[in-house]
Amino acid sequence: MAKSDVKLIGAWPSPFVMRPRIALNIKSAGYEFLEETLGSKSQLLLESNPVHKKIPVLIHDGKPICESLVIVEYIDEVWSSGPTILPSDPYDRALARFWAAYLDEKWFPTMRSIATAKEEEARKALIEQAGEGVMMLEDAFSRCSKGKGFFGGDQIGYLDIAFGSFLGWLRAIEKMNGVKLIDETKTPSLLKWATSFSSHPAVKDVLPETQKLVEFAKVLAKFKAPSSNS
């Protein structure tokens, strides 16, 4: 499939944009990356996603697909000859989707609130809440991985992409707040997983550096109402 037939509208710091990028890399599918500018929305984005007006958007043969996890599932189905991303077992697939929904609806909003918390007590409470979520994900990892290296087993799967896309920002938030949410004592399995995921060939070139995200967070703070991505 020609690279020009596949375009991805996104921005490098977005964890949601990372998801389709990783999925396309797993499938060895070439694509053109169309970078959006902070604080503005391109005409192509507005035309391609008129409902939510946000990134990421995959454009395949001129047709737009929106929402990061929807795009990942689409990629898995269309590029079926590559490694599979979603679990083949219906229960395992449902479990992966459940935890992916938890990450997007509960865990990451808490993480994002840490950066904007104005009072120290509120910030500490949010960090504790995020840490409890990581502990639950440690338990989910042992159930989903079945003793192997990734949530998806021997290879990166759907939940690896869903959670792993947040690793850059998790590390940035850890650094900005002087805390450790993933460590050897409380979450040894996730610590090992995070290292393996970050160094994977499909991930390492699209996962932003921690310090670069810290600097970007300072720029982002200057915007009173930054756009949220999904």
Side-chain angles (χ1 to χ4, degrees), residues 18-226:
M18 265 197 67
R19 291 170 170 176
R21 297 190 79 179
I22 293 169
L24 287 165
N25 287 345
I26 287 172
K27 298 289 187 174
S28 299
Y31 65 97
E32 182 182 356
F33 187 58
L34 306 176
E35 184 90 30
E36 287 286 302
T37 303
L38 177 66
S40 65
K41 297 178 188 289
S42 68
Q43 189 61 33
L44 180 61
L45 173 60
L46 296 174
E47 290 172 356
S48 302
N49 190 358
V51 176
H52 297 299
K53 302 179 177 64
K54 59 185 180 180
I55 54 176
V57 177
L58 181 75
I59 302 175
H60 180 212
D61 288 337
K63 296 176 289 188
I65 303 97
C66 308
E67 297 296 305
S68 62
L69 292 176
V70 173
I71 297 171
V72 169
E73 293 201 29
Y74 177 85
I75 291 168
D76 195 33
E77 292 177 5
V78 171
W79 283 270
S80 57
S81 60
T84 56
I85 294 173
L86 272 86
S88 57
D89 178 79
Y91 177 76
D92 290 344
R93 196 159 57 245
L95 196 61
R97 285 174 172 149
F98 169 83
W99 284 109
Y102 165 76
L103 286 162
D104 284 3
E105 295 167 14
K106 296 285 187 181
W107 186 77
F108 190 65
T110 300
M111 291 289 288
R112 192 154 40 193
S113 296
I114 293 171
T116 57
K118 295 179 180 179
E119 296 180 3
E120 183 66 17
E121 286 302 313
R123 187 180 67 86
K124 285 182 179 179
L126 288 165
I127 290 171
E128 184 177 346
Q129 190 178 338
E132 289 170 357
V134 171
M135 292 287 288
M136 289 194 290
L137 288 160
E138 170 83 1
D139 181 60
F141 179 81
S142 40
R143 282 185 286 141
C144 294
S145 67
K146 299 173 183 176
K148 296 179 180 177
F150 296 101
F151 282 96
D154 288 319
Q155 61 188 25
I156 286 178
Y158 183 77
L159 188 50
D160 294 285
I161 294 173
F163 186 23
S165 62
F166 293 130
L167 279 177
W169 278 108
L170 182 148
R171 290 164 178 159
I173 290 169
E174 285 180 331
K175 186 169 185 176
M176 289 186 287
N177 291 276
V179 297
K180 278 290 181 185
L181 295 171
I182 294 180
D183 62 27
E184 182 65 44
T185 305
K186 294 181 179 179
T187 56
S189 297
L190 282 184
L191 182 64
K192 186 177 180 181
W193 163 81
T195 302
S196 299
F197 180 85
S198 301
S199 60
H200 191 279
V203 177
K204 61 181 181 180
D205 292 333
V206 295
L207 181 67
E209 295 176 7
T210 303
Q211 187 56 40
K212 195 174 178 183
L213 287 175
V214 169
E215 294 301 321
F216 179 78
K218 295 175 184 176
V219 175
L220 199 62
K222 296 177 182 178
F223 288 79
K224 291 183 179 180

